Amino acid sequence: MATIKDVALRAGVSVTTVSHVVNDTRHVSAKGRERVEEAIRELGYVPNAMARSLKSNTTSTLGMLIPNSSNPYFAEIVRIVEDRCFGAGYTLVLCNTDDEPRRQSVYLQVLAERRIDGLIVVSTGAGDDDSLVTQLHGLRIPTVLVDREIADPACDLVETAHMQGGLLAVRHLLSLGHRRIACIGGPVGVMPSEQRIEGWRMALAEAGATPNADALLWRGGFTSQGGYEAMHAILRTEQAPSAVFVCNDLMAIGALRAAHESGVHVPDELSIVGFDDIELSAYTSPPLTTVAQPKERIGALAVDMLLERVGGKRRDARKVVLQPELRVRASTARHASFREAAAPSSSSSSAPSSEATSTQNRKSRAP
C-alpha cells in the first residue's frame, strides 16, 4: 500500500506539500497540486482517515445502533438516516445489536474508538437503561435517541406518540362496530409496545367494551413468527374476537397468514390493524390497515438534531414527539352486526320494484 512518502517521491515534492494538498490546509501552486494529484492516482494512495481526524478532531462519521436489522421498519429508518447523512457530507457506521444488551455495550465502545462525531441510538428493549445511560455519559458523544426513550436528560429524543397510535387503531375498530378486540403486543418491557398496548386499553375503556381487556392480550415479540403464533392461539379460544390490534406490521403479516391458514376471512370475519406502515403493508393480501409512523421526519430530524449538537449550535437536549396517522386499507371492515342492521334499511330505501317501474312507464307513455 502506497504511503504519503511514496506520493511525495513520485511527485517530486515534500511530504508536507502532499499533506497540504490532501487536507486542503494551505495554498499549493496549481502545478504542484497537479503533480501530487497525478501521483496519488497512479499509486492508488488512500489518506489515513484516523490520522486526519486526530489533527482536525472530527471524522465526518456518525454511528447508529439498531436492535433488529431484519425488521423492515428499522431498515426504512436507516435508509432515511443514511441519505440525510450523505447529503450533509457524513458517512454512517451501522451496528445491529440484535436486542442484546451486551452486544449494544460492545458496539458503543467500538464506535467510540472509531472517534465518531455523533451517535443515533435505538436502544435494546431488554437492556438495563441505567447502565446504558452510564456508558453514554462516559463516551461524551452527542447522542440522539430514536423510538425508545431512556432516562437520560443529556440525550436528544425523536419518537412517535405510541399511545396515541394505539388509540387511533382501536377507535377505528370500535367505529366499525367491533367490541371484542384483542391485542398482540411486542416484548414485555419495550416502551413503544407498552405504550401502544396502553392506547388499546384506554380506547376499550372509553367505549365500555371488554371490561377484562388483559384476557385478550397476547405477545408476539415484534416478529412475524410471533404474530403468526399469537394469532393461531387467539383463533383457538372459545370466544374469538372480531378484531385484533397488532402492535407492529411485522407481527400483523404473520397474523394474516395464520388467519388464512385457519380459514378465517379478513376482513369479513376478522379485522386486523397493524402499526408502523412499513412499505410491505400495502402489498399484503388484503392490504393492511395500519398506524403510520412518520418515518421520513423521524430519520431527518434525528440527523439534523445530531448535527446541531455536533456543530455546537445547541447544547440543551431536545425532545420531539411526532403524531401518527391511520392508514385505512382493506384489512378492516364493519362488524357483521353492523352489516346485518344496515341491510333492511338499505332495502327499504332501494329503487322501486320492476313491476312498479313498468306501471309508471306505461302511465308516462299514455296519451
Side-chain angles (χ1 to χ4, degrees):
M1 182 179 291
T3 67
I4 192 170
K5 291 181 179 179
D6 296 330
V7 174
L9 187 63
R10 174 68 65 92
V13 299
S14 68
V15 169
T16 302
T17 299
V18 176
S19 176
H20 289 320
V21 171
V22 170
N23 297 302
D24 199 23
T25 50
R26 189 177 297 175
H27 173 73
V28 176
S29 68
K31 191 172 182 179
R33 179 176 291 274
E34 184 180 346
R35 290 205 308 272
V36 170
E37 290 175 346
E38 184 179 354
I40 288 173
R41 287 193 298 271
E42 289 175 352
L43 296 173
Y45 170 67
V46 179
N48 188 323
M50 186 60 69
R52 294 168 67 185
S53 73
L54 289 171
K55 291 182 180 179
S56 65
N57 205 32
T58 62
T59 61
S60 295
T61 303
L62 303 178
M64 185 172 185
L65 295 182
I66 60 170
N68 185 354
S69 59
S70 64
N71 186 328
Y73 169 73
F74 294 123
E76 290 172 26
I77 291 289
V78 167
R79 183 184 63 193
I80 295 161
V81 166
E82 192 169 21
D83 286 348
R84 197 77 167 188
C85 288
F86 187 79
Y90 283 76
T91 54
L92 183 71
V93 177
L94 178 67
C95 297
N96 171 43
T97 66
D98 207 22
D99 254 330
E100 294 179 8
R102 183 180 176 279
R103 184 177 293 193
Q104 175 177 264
S105 178
V106 170
Y107 279 148
L108 281 171
Q109 190 60 43
V110 169
L111 290 172
E113 291 170 357
R114 289 179 177 270
R115 297 176 56 82
I116 59 172
D117 297 334
L119 181 63
I120 297 172
V121 176
V122 185
S123 66
T124 67
D128 179 359
D129 283 358
D130 291 340
S131 62
L132 176 57
V133 170
T134 300
Q135 190 171 15
L136 289 175
H137 281 183
L139 297 179
R140 299 179 181 275
I141 298 171
T143 302
V144 176
L145 303 172
V146 172
D147 196 57
R148 302 177 181 181
E149 186 174 2
I150 62 172
D152 186 352
C155 293
D156 289 341
L157 171 70
V158 183
E159 69 173 344
T160 302
H162 299 290
M163 187 172 68
Q164 182 63 29
L167 280 167
L168 284 175
V170 182
R171 283 172 177 168
H172 168 64
L173 293 170
L174 289 164
S175 74
L176 296 173
H178 298 281
R179 306 291 286 179
R180 189 169 176 79
I181 303 170
C183 177
I184 301 177
V188 175
V190 176
M191 285 310 297
S193 173
E194 299 301 331
Q195 291 165 355
R196 295 168 196 178
I197 292 170
E198 187 58 28
W200 165 72
R201 288 195 186 101
M202 287 180 64
L204 292 180
E206 285 176 357
T210 318
N212 188 17
D214 282 355
L216 286 172
L217 175 61
W218 276 260
R219 297 281 180 173
F222 277 163
T223 66
S224 52
Q225 180 68 26
Y228 171 82
E229 292 173 357
M231 181 58 82
H232 269 303
I234 289 171
L235 295 175
R236 286 195 298 267
T237 58
E238 290 185 11
Q239 191 179 359
S242 65
V244 183
F245 166 49
V246 190
C247 286
N248 83 341
D249 286 350
L250 208 55
M251 292 191 297
I253 290 170
L256 283 170
R257 179 184 169 187
H260 176 74
E261 287 182 356
S262 301
V264 176
H265 297 284
V266 178
D268 295 336
E269 297 174 275
L270 180 71
S271 287
I272 297 177
V273 179
F275 201 111
D276 285 340
D277 193 28
I278 61 175
E279 291 179 6
L280 289 173
S281 65
Y283 298 94
T284 57
S285 182
L288 183 66
T289 295
T290 184
V291 177
Q293 296 207 61
K295 296 186 289 292
E296 291 284 346
R297 290 192 64 200
I298 289 171
L301 270 172
V303 176
D304 292 349
M305 289 166 64
L306 187 57
L307 293 181
E308 284 178 0
R309 298 287 288 272
V310 169
K313 297 178 182 177
R314 177 172 53 83
R315 299 186 65 180
D316 296 334
R318 182 182 170 200
K319 179 178 179 178
V320 179
V321 180
L322 303 172
Q323 293 301 310
E325 295 181 1
L326 185 69
R327 298 273 190 270
V328 179
R329 299 193 181 105
S331 68
T332 53
R334 286 177 174 268
H335 186 267
S337 62
F338 264 40
R339 295 196 294 270
E340 290 165 6
S345 60
S346 62
S347 61
S348 64
S349 61
S350 60
S353 67
S354 58
E355 183 179 349
T357 303
S358 62
T359 301
Q360 289 174 357
N361 288 341
R362 284 197 300 273
K363 286 182 179 178
S364 64
R365 288 197 297 269

